Amino acid sequence: MKNNETIKSNQNPYTLVYDGAITENVKGKVNINPVSYKIKDIAIAANVYTPPNYNPANKYPAIVIAHPNGGVKEQVAGLYAQHLAEQGYITITADAAYQGGSGGFPRNVDKPANRIEDIYAMADFISQYAGVDASRLGLLGICGGGGYSLKAAQSDKRFKTVATLSMFNSGLVRRNGYMNSQLATIQERLKQASDARAQEAAGGEILYANNSTTPMTKEQIASIPVDLYRQGIEYYSITYPHPNSSAKYTLSSLLDLMTWDASTNMDLIEQPLLMIAGSKADSYYMTEDAFGKAVNAKNKELFLIEGATHIETYWKPEYVNQAVSKLTQFYSKFL
């Protein structure tokens, strides 16, 4: 049975599923422009949002937005892209290679190097876009995209600022478990990932993590004790689902994920840094850890949204508005 949000996504001409999403391009307002470009031989599906009264002859600051793990550009990344475009920025958000509407096989590969290259490639594309002032390029990463954005900003100095929202350190969690809940099984899971890669290399079935096809009941979801996972399932599968969004990823990806950490080399970030998290987010420990290691950021700020959990920063208007207001202050000051 389709819920209202699924029906809405099917009706939106751009398949956007967030509240207040653009349904048509109106002169004088924020417009959305679906675009495509390639990373090597992989076609990337992206959306560029232009600000009200956009004139390609003018010069605008631009913001690259990296989506959460399992998310797509039509969900929270698009919501923030649209809101920031309203504030006068040209914004871009793209589906990660191997994921969503982008190409790449096998599907749902989730490797840090790929996700970081996705961010570099968004910068490549938007820097050439009509009206963009490439010397005023900012970065925003949400959830897993936040961890990858920290890494991208460490090396890519085209980004003059970097901000994260509800940052999720994918490598740390895949290795140690959420809130260090799987420390005892690290070697066992590495062996499973190694076996999965061997099976792929031999032409066998591609194995996936989080690959259940049986929907959870409302009672099962309600019984999940961890806010991020309980509310995440509600967000991605009930209230704001998108057909291209998937929580599954190739088991062999863990070979790369489990040896990676978003918070290493944080001393390489010299750009202004803003990290936003909900005060009630059980994922906050990851933001706190990375922020403390950013010892060379010329201007850095940790901003807590009072009362918000991790997932609530994705969609609840009172929390989204606070985050957008803070991001706008940050980018207007440093871009």
Side-chain angles (χ1 to χ4, degrees):
M1 184 177 71
K2 293 180 179 179
N3 61 42
N4 291 336
E5 296 296 343
T6 304
I7 292 169
K8 184 177 75 173
S9 81
N10 290 341
Q11 290 176 342
N12 185 286
Y14 306 104
T15 74
L16 307 173
V17 295
Y18 55 85
D19 292 342
I22 293 169
T23 57
E24 62 177 331
N25 284 334
V26 178
K27 188 175 181 180
K29 296 188 176 182
V30 170
N31 282 196
I32 183 173
N33 306 278
V35 298
S36 180
Y37 52 89
K38 287 197 171 182
I39 298 177
K40 296 180 180 176
D41 59 345
I42 295 175
I44 301 299
N47 286 328
V48 173
Y49 293 74
T50 51
N53 300 308
Y54 163 71
N55 181 347
N58 294 339
K59 287 296 183 183
Y60 301 83
I63 300 170
V64 165
I65 301 175
H67 66 66
N69 293 341
V72 289
K73 63 187 180 300
E74 291 86 359
Q75 295 166 321
V76 57
L79 172 66
Y80 276 84
Q82 183 172 325
H83 278 312
L84 288 168
E86 289 167 358
Q87 301 302 315
Y89 300 93
I90 294 176
T91 58
I92 182 171
T93 183
D95 287 338
Y98 304 94
Q99 300 176 26
S102 293
F105 184 82
R107 299 305 297 161
N108 301 107
V109 173
D110 192 28
K111 297 185 178 184
N114 294 344
R115 290 296 309 269
I116 295 164
E117 181 63 27
D118 292 328
I119 295 170
Y120 296 158
M122 277 192 278
D124 294 341
F125 182 87
I126 205 64
S127 293
Q128 307 299 318
Y129 198 83
V132 167
D133 181 352
S135 69
R136 302 168 68 199
L137 185 62
L139 178 57
L140 170 62
I142 304 169
C143 185
Y148 298 127
S149 291
L150 292 177
K151 266 287 175 273
Q154 289 172 15
S155 56
D156 193 337
K157 301 308 174 182
R158 291 177 296 179
F159 295 116
K160 299 304 187 290
T161 61
V162 57
T164 64
L165 175 72
S166 300
M167 194 278 286
F168 185 90
N169 186 340
S170 303
L172 182 72
V173 173
R174 298 295 180 249
R175 180 171 62 254
N176 294 346
Y178 194 51
M179 298 187 287
N180 295 324
S181 60
Q182 293 178 286
L183 291 171
T185 60
I186 290 174
Q187 295 298 328
E188 176 186 334
R189 287 180 287 115
L190 281 168
K191 177 66 164 58
Q192 290 171 349
S194 303
D195 291 346
R197 171 148 185 156
Q199 183 165 307
E200 282 182 35
E205 180 188 358
I206 297 163
L207 301 179
Y208 288 89
N210 296 341
N211 197 26
S212 174
T213 56
T214 305
M216 296 179 71
T217 65
K218 287 185 177 180
E219 292 73 24
Q220 287 173 323
I221 295 170
S223 69
I224 298 172
V226 178
D227 286 349
L228 174 62
Y229 292 155
R230 183 181 66 258
Q231 294 180 344
I233 290 170
E234 291 170 346
Y235 177 86
Y236 284 111
S237 64
I238 299 174
T239 52
Y240 295 94
H242 191 280
N244 287 344
S245 175
S246 175
K248 74 178 184 179
Y249 56 91
T250 57
L251 202 56
S252 58
S253 295
L254 288 172
L255 289 178
D256 302 74
L257 281 162
M258 289 177 68
T259 55
W260 185 84
D261 192 322
S263 71
T264 58
N265 300 119
M266 283 295 293
D267 58 308
L268 293 176
I269 293 181
E270 292 188 331
Q271 304 99 311
L273 171 67
L274 171 65
M275 300 189 73
I276 302 175
S279 70
K280 291 187 176 179
D282 45 32
S283 61
Y284 171 64
Y285 71 99
M286 290 179 265
T287 289
E288 184 178 41
D289 177 52
F291 185 81
K293 294 174 180 175
V295 294
N296 292 324
K298 291 185 176 68
N299 295 274
K300 68 173 187 173
E301 182 178 358
L302 177 59
F303 181 71
L304 293 181
I305 301 175
E306 191 60 37
T309 62
H310 181 112
I311 296 294
E312 287 173 341
T313 66
Y314 289 18
W315 67 273
K316 274 204 166 183
E318 61 266 39
Y319 301 141
V320 171
N321 290 342
Q322 286 184 61
V324 170
S325 176
K326 192 66 185 179
L327 288 163
T328 302
Q329 291 173 27
F330 174 70
Y331 291 128
S332 63
K333 184 175 181 180
F334 294 113
L335 274 186

